[in-house]
Amino acid sequence: SGGASLSDELAEQESEDGEPPPVPAEAIQSMAPADRDALQALAHDLQEPIRSVSNYLSVLESRHGADLAGEGRALVDKARGAARRMQERVHALVRPPAVPSNRPSVISRVDTAALVRGVIADLEAAIDASGGSVEVGELPCVDGDEQSLARLFQNLISNGLKFRAEAPPLVRVEATQEEGRWRFAVRDNGIGIDAADRERVFAMFSRGKHEGAFPGSGIGLAVCKRAVEAHGGRIWIESEPWQGTTVLFTVPSRADEHGDVAKIASGIDI
């Protein structure tokens, strides 16, 4: 690619290949049984190729590690990290769906600052390709399901990068403490959302007025809504066309401040 920078090459690859969105467990639960079985069969078949990619990277590093320096080693490390995360996602797809349990449910204490840092690491290629940036304010610890909250933040930050205007995308994640809860905000400087679409975009497979103009399945915000409501909170949008979008949601400070602890832990209907 001549003298092109790594960011330029990632942006070129992104425009050619697109960015297939991950399929959240919540969306799988809403599928017809036959479609869910087909998806899980496909995920099962993908395990071996992904494992092979990881193995090839390990061989490359062991045989030619001494020749890799700077950007070359960084690319191998990023590829191994991406392969590991893909293995985890595929493994989640082939696991049998959760079933109700009479056993006590345990919700973990989630450091949302660390969680968001991990999400940003997962989105590093998309951030570089967009030429954008993600800012993070001080974030709290809350009681909840870590995987569900990670998908929530990943969907919202991804949207802020995807639905961009002419300026490079800028996404900011912050939180404000309220009585008995935290109010999170994910702000962007993108194309915004019409008032008529602010509720509709939370419906499954809804894309708003820009449907077809951007990649995606239209399930991301529906998944976010289910996750937030399962945690006992609510989610809404403040936006004007071409003035950016702020997605706000609340999460109780402690799990015992709402009645959906078992639902969060089991993964049922989230």
Side-chain angles (χ1 to χ4, degrees), residues 15-215:
S15 63
E16 291 177 357
D17 296 344
E19 182 188 350
V23 181
E26 296 90 338
I28 298 172
Q29 294 296 327
S30 67
M31 289 180 175
D35 292 338
R36 186 167 59 243
D37 290 345
L39 178 63
Q40 290 180 334
L42 175 61
H44 185 274
D45 291 342
L46 286 173
Q47 289 185 102
E48 189 57 39
I50 295 171
R51 188 179 298 111
S52 295
V53 169
S54 182
N55 289 340
Y56 290 146
L57 288 167
S58 295
V59 171
L60 173 64
E61 189 172 26
S62 66
R63 293 185 179 179
H64 304 285
D67 299 325
L68 293 173
E71 189 173 272
R73 176 164 292 281
L75 285 171
V76 170
D77 291 341
K78 289 178 186 295
R80 293 186 69 179
R84 174 183 54 77
R85 292 189 294 271
M86 184 60 71
Q87 282 180 318
E88 293 171 354
R89 288 175 179 172
V90 169
H91 179 66
L93 289 179
V94 299
R95 283 191 308 230
V99 295
S101 172
N102 292 325
R103 292 176 297 177
S105 300
V106 178
I107 302 301
S108 64
R109 192 70 174 160
V110 180
D111 180 347
T112 60
L115 184 142
V116 169
R117 286 196 297 270
V119 168
I120 292 172
D122 284 348
L123 294 174
E124 184 175 2
I127 295 170
D128 288 344
S130 71
S133 58
V134 181
E135 298 178 347
V136 182
E138 291 189 15
L139 299 179
C141 292
V142 299
D143 288 354
D145 177 73
E146 185 170 356
Q147 290 188 356
S148 179
L149 291 173
R151 284 191 296 269
L152 169 63
F153 281 108
Q154 179 166 321
N155 280 326
L156 296 181
I157 295 172
S158 294
N159 281 352
L161 298 170
K162 182 194 303 180
F163 297 103
R164 55 185 180 266
E166 294 183 2
L170 172 62
V171 181
R172 179 169 177 80
V173 184
E174 54 193 10
T176 305
Q177 188 169 21
E178 300 179 342
E179 185 175 356
R181 65 184 181 182
W182 284 92
R183 183 180 68 183
F184 291 85
V186 181
R187 309 179 190 277
D188 67 57
N189 63 340
I191 60 175
I193 299 175
D194 285 341
D197 287 334
R198 289 179 203 156
E199 291 291 335
R200 190 165 68 88
V201 292
F202 287 108
M204 189 70 77
F205 305 115
S206 177
R207 301 293 307 282
K209 67 175 292 186
H210 296 284
E211 183 169 1
F214 296 90

